[in-house]
Amino acid sequence: MSFKIYVGNLNYQTTEDTLRQLFEQYGEVESVKIITDRDSGFSKGFGFVEMSSEEAGEAAISALNQHELEGRQLRVNKAHERRRSSFGGDRSRSSSYRYY
């Protein structure tokens, strides 16, 4: 089962490859996604990393929270599932989940 990690305060030029290399030091990385603005395509300064195990994820969090990367001090913690209602319509039936 994968372990999803939130990575915040990223430099806007940080790439997914850079994050992957950083996290691979602590275990197998299943995926990396930097969140971008829908209109401009520019980074929003945060992203998510999925590690292959909870042990690897916890090790990465311990080592990388407050770690400086490309001039920014990272905020790294476990991503939690957050329920978000869709706008309009019957909100009780039109909900989705997202991580933060």
Side-chain angles (χ1 to χ4, degrees):
M1 184 170 157
S2 64
F3 187 81
K4 194 161 191 173
I5 300 169
Y6 166 83
V7 184
N9 201 34
L10 290 171
N11 183 308
Y12 296 110
Q13 279 69 48
T14 299
T15 66
E16 291 177 354
D17 287 337
T18 300
L19 270 187
R20 179 178 294 279
Q21 291 171 7
L22 181 64
F23 278 81
E24 281 178 337
Q25 299 174 61
Y26 304 98
E28 183 183 345
V29 174
E30 291 185 0
S31 69
V32 176
K33 177 68 177 162
I34 293 177
I35 305 305
T36 56
D37 181 80
R38 177 180 351 193
D39 298 324
S40 70
F42 293 116
S43 169
K44 287 189 166 191
F46 70 96
F48 298 95
V49 175
E50 280 188 88
M51 304 287 291
S52 62
S53 70
E54 184 173 348
E55 294 80 20
E58 293 291 352
I61 289 169
S62 294
L64 297 175
N65 190 38
Q66 303 299 315
H67 174 81
E68 188 173 316
L69 177 66
E70 298 179 343
R72 304 289 298 264
Q73 208 170 40
L74 299 178
R75 280 181 297 209
V76 182
N77 52 48
K78 182 178 179 183
H80 297 281
E81 199 169 299
R82 176 170 87 169
R83 188 172 183 163
R84 181 179 87 180
S85 294
S86 299
F87 292 102
D90 181 2
R91 291 181 185 214
S92 65
R93 290 185 303 166
S94 59
S95 62
S96 61
Y97 289 91
R98 74 177 200 178
Y99 289 91
Y100 69 96

